[in-house]
């Protein structure tokens, strides 16, 4: 596994475990809501992940972008679909999103490397 992907996942898992172990009801409910929001519904999981990716890029959250990229990759979204979604994100968010687009592309390449 690419160091970039592994480091992201290891840190995320470690800190999520700590946050949830703190037993804060509001935090637990937010985590649960987030998980359930991306479940299959009227929209399929792939569509929801692309929506999450676009929103994350527009809001300029690199951790969120990485999370949605990895989940999108696992759901079978193609590089072309991901880039089309990121194109919309860049259009909506403006040129300030371009640095996040660069890092997203780099992370996608790391995901592809791991799949080999």
């Amino acid at each position: 596994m690419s160091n970039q992907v592994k480091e992201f996942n290891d840190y995320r898992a470690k800190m999520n475990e700590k946050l949830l172990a703190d037993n804060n009801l509001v935090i637990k409910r937010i985590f649960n809501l987030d998980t359930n929001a991306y479940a299959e519904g009227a929209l399929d999981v792939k569509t929801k992940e692309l929506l999450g990716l676009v929103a994350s890029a527009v809001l300029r959250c690199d951790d969120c972008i990485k999370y949605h990229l990895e989940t999108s990759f696992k759901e079978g979204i193609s590089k072309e679909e991901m880039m089309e979604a990121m194109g919309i994100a860049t259009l909506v968010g403006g040129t300030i999103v371009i640095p996040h687009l660069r890092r997203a592309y780099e992370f996608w390449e790391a995901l592809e490397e791991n799949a080999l």
Side-chain angles (χ1 to χ4, degrees):
M1 180 176 280
S2 162
N3 273 351
Q4 185 182 18
V5 175
K6 183 177 179 347
E7 287 173 13
F8 172 73
N9 285 324
D10 288 350
Y11 176 77
R12 185 175 176 275
K14 178 181 91 173
M15 293 311 299
N16 282 353
E17 186 177 319
K18 286 183 178 192
L19 289 168
L20 292 172
D22 200 40
N23 210 24
N24 181 297
L25 186 59
V26 173
I27 298 296
K28 284 186 172 188
R29 286 181 174 168
I30 290 170
F31 273 55
N32 183 272
L33 179 61
D34 182 67
T35 298
N36 287 315
Y38 288 94
E40 188 84 21
L43 296 174
D44 63 17
V45 173
K46 287 182 177 184
T47 301
K48 289 182 175 186
E49 284 303 326
L50 289 174
L51 288 168
L53 176 61
V54 169
S56 297
V58 170
L59 292 170
R60 302 186 304 269
C61 175
D62 282 331
D63 278 8
C64 302
I65 292 167
K66 287 176 181 176
Y67 173 80
H68 289 293
L69 284 171
E70 185 167 15
T71 307
S72 294
F73 188 84
K74 289 177 181 175
E75 286 294 321
I77 290 171
S78 70
K79 187 176 192 174
E80 292 77 20
E81 291 170 315
M82 179 275 295
M83 284 303 295
E84 193 165 314
M86 289 301 290
I88 297 296
T90 306
L91 172 68
V92 172
T95 56
I96 196 162
V97 174
I98 291 173
H100 303 277
L101 174 62
R102 289 183 193 116
R103 288 188 290 274
Y105 195 91
E106 177 184 36
F107 196 76
W108 188 270
E109 288 181 329
L111 292 167
E112 290 176 326
E113 284 177 25
N114 289 343
L116 299 177

